[in-house]
């Protein structure tokens, strides 16, 4: 199925950087096949011969809505993100161009996250009124999930960024999770309004002033609140957000290791392990990062999703499904409207 045919049918394909990630084409192609079987059209971007060979391993793939777009170059995980400026033929640049040209609905990459951010920002530009795009991700929490941003795009921030990110995340949850009025928490070292750094105190005042104007501000939250699900959204700087994300992923692995060791420590423990196997499997799936597939770079004028370098086929599939949902739900136009005439002005957003 060609990109033009997909556009004519009213359902644009998703451009997948099929060369990106720690494991190259293998999980990307399998994930694309799984997504295509679920009804999502995919453009596999990468070295044509290698992708054809990998795709040939899946019986019936020729009948699926999959197309290969050739890109002989790929920005490796150990290369510089700034390489996107000069290496126009790199797979991630081909993906973002396909979106910019209207041939794809979104770009998805499990490759170099910095290169993906740089390519998206250079190709799409920012939504008017957004000073810096942010990485929006999800963390498992009591009762569901907590949406966290920024998860690593901006180590140095201004107070106005927090307000912009809160608005972006609010629209995102309305579109993709059907949440009418998600609550927003500001990550700090205490719940009281006066707690935190000078920057956090300034951001708190700004968010409090915007409460009820497109933002449902709860107030300050602490680290534990992220996993208690105290608010639907938590905003913080990208340095702190990335530390939180990596800490959560690492703690989950360690915790399951402890549980596995405990259940294998003796005959009685092994018998007990058999009884709780199903519950533990459900818990593991809930805490598995592949459940959400990829994080959106929110705030650019195009849909771009960034996955983990070690992503498996399930993560790739779920990233493609989420990207398709974002496009079908008209996320980008709705984000632009939120920063248009109907939105309350945010400090520092003179455009």
């Amino acid at each position: 199925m060609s990109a033009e045919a997909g556009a004519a049918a009213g359902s644009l394909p998703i451009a997948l950087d099929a060369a990106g990630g720690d494991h190259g084409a293998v999980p990307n192609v399998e994930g694309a096949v799984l997504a295509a079987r679920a009804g999502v059209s995919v453009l596999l971007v990468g070295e044509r011969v290698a992708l054809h060979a990998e795709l040939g391993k899946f019986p019936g793939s020729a009948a699926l809505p999959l197309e290969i777009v050739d890109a002989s170059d790929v920005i490796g995980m150990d290369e510089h993100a700034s390489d996107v400026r000069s290496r126009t033929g790199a797979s991630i640049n081909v993906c973002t161009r396909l979106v910019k040209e209207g041939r794809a609905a979104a770009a998805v990459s499990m490759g170099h996250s910095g290169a993906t951010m740089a390519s998206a920002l250079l190709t799409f530009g920012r939504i008017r009124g957004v000073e810096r795009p942010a990485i929006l991700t999800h963390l498992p929490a009591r009762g569901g999930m907590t949406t966290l941003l920024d998860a690593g795009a901006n180590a140095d921030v201004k107070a106005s960024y927090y307000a912009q990110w809160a608005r972006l995340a609010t629209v995102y949850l309305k579109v993709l999770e059907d949440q009418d009025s998600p609550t927003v928490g500001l990550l700090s070292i205490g719940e009281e309004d006066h707690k935190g750094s000078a920057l956090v105190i300034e951001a708190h005042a700004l968010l409090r002033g915007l409460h009820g104007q497109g933002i449902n501000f709860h107030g300050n939250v602490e680290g534990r609140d992220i996993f208690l699900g105290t608010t639907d959204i938590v905003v913080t700087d990208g340095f702190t957000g990335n530390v939180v994300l990596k800490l959560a992923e690492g703690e989950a692995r360690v915790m399951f290791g402890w549980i596995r060791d405990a259940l294998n420590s003796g005959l009685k423990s092994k018998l007990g392990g058999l009884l709780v196997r199903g519950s533990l499997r459900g818990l593991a799936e809930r805490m598995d990062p592949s459940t959400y597939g990829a994080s959106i770079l929110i705030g650019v004028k195009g849909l771009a999703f960034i996955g983990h370098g070690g992503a498996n086929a399930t993560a790739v599939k779920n990233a493609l499904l989420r990207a398709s949902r974002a496009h079908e739900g008209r996320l980008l136009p709705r984000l632009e409207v939120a920063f248009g005439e109907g939105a309350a002005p945010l400090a520092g957003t003179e455009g």
Side-chain angles (χ1 to χ4, degrees):
M1 181 178 182
S2 69
E4 291 77 7
S11 179
L12 286 174
I14 308 300
L16 173 64
D17 178 7
D22 296 340
H23 308 297
V26 176
N28 284 308
V29 171
E30 183 180 356
V33 169
L34 294 173
R37 288 172 178 166
V40 175
S41 301
V42 182
L43 299 178
L44 290 158
V45 180
E47 204 279 312
R48 185 181 297 277
V49 174
L51 292 180
H52 266 301
E54 191 62 34
L55 199 55
K57 297 177 182 178
F58 298 91
S61 60
L64 294 172
L66 297 166
E67 181 187 354
I68 293 173
V69 177
D70 191 48
S72 57
D73 188 17
V74 59
I75 296 176
M77 303 295 274
D78 58 346
E79 296 184 281
H80 294 291
S82 58
D83 286 354
V84 297
R85 291 182 177 274
S86 58
R87 293 163 62 180
T88 57
S91 54
I92 185 56
N93 281 330
V94 174
C95 286
T96 55
R97 276 202 306 274
L98 287 167
V99 177
K100 180 72 171 180
E101 294 167 0
R103 297 173 58 200
V108 173
S109 178
M110 306 294 158
H112 195 308
S113 58
T116 304
M117 286 188 285
S119 181
L121 189 56
L122 286 169
T123 306
F124 303 147
R126 295 173 287 116
I127 292 173
R128 182 175 177 83
V130 175
E131 292 173 272
R132 293 288 188 276
I135 296 176
L136 180 154
T137 194
H138 302 293
L139 292 171
R142 186 172 65 188
M145 68 178 186
T146 297
T147 297
L148 176 75
L149 70 167
D150 178 21
N154 305 274
D156 299 305
V157 304
K158 298 193 297 186
S160 55
Y161 298 2
Y162 291 100
Q164 294 159 27
W165 297 342
R167 179 162 286 159
L168 290 167
T170 295
V171 175
Y172 176 91
L173 289 184
K174 286 180 178 179
V175 172
L176 266 72
E177 303 297 337
D178 298 320
Q179 296 187 27
D180 288 334
S181 185
T183 52
V184 177
L186 173 63
L187 189 62
S188 187
I189 57 172
E191 297 177 358
E192 298 83 359
D193 295 0
H194 63 277
K195 290 288 185 69
S197 65
L199 174 65
V200 168
I201 292 170
E202 182 185 356
H204 185 281
L206 180 56
L207 287 162
R208 181 67 69 193
L210 291 169
H211 177 68
Q213 302 180 63
I215 295 173
N216 183 6
F217 184 53
H218 168 87
N220 284 354
V221 296
E222 298 180 79
R224 62 174 174 263
D225 291 302
I226 295 172
F227 305 102
L228 291 174
T230 303
T231 59
D232 301 303
I233 298 162
V234 171
V235 291
T236 187
D237 64 272
F239 182 93
T240 305
N242 192 263
V243 170
V244 168
L245 177 62
K246 299 296 175 57
L247 177 63
E249 292 175 349
E251 181 65 14
R253 284 193 291 269
V254 170
M255 184 185 69
F256 276 104
W258 288 341
I259 293 172
R260 184 171 55 251
D261 292 343
L263 293 177
N264 288 318
S265 61
L267 180 58
K268 289 184 179 180
S269 297
K270 290 179 180 179
L271 291 173
L274 292 174
L275 296 175
V276 298
R277 179 181 294 175
S279 297
L280 288 177
R281 185 179 295 114
L283 178 61
E285 290 174 356
R286 184 175 174 184
M287 299 185 71
D288 188 350
S290 67
T291 301
Y292 301 106
S295 302
I296 187 172
L297 180 66
I298 197 163
V300 291
K301 293 187 69 173
L303 296 177
F305 289 79
I306 303 169
H308 196 284
N312 58 21
T314 300
V316 175
K317 178 198 74 172
N318 287 335
L320 293 167
L321 294 177
R322 184 161 286 268
S324 180
R325 283 182 58 203
H327 173 65
E328 295 300 325
R330 304 187 71 252
L331 175 62
L332 184 58
R334 291 174 71 172
L335 289 172
E336 291 177 315
V337 167
F339 281 82
E341 295 179 2
L346 301 180
T349 59
E350 60 276 358

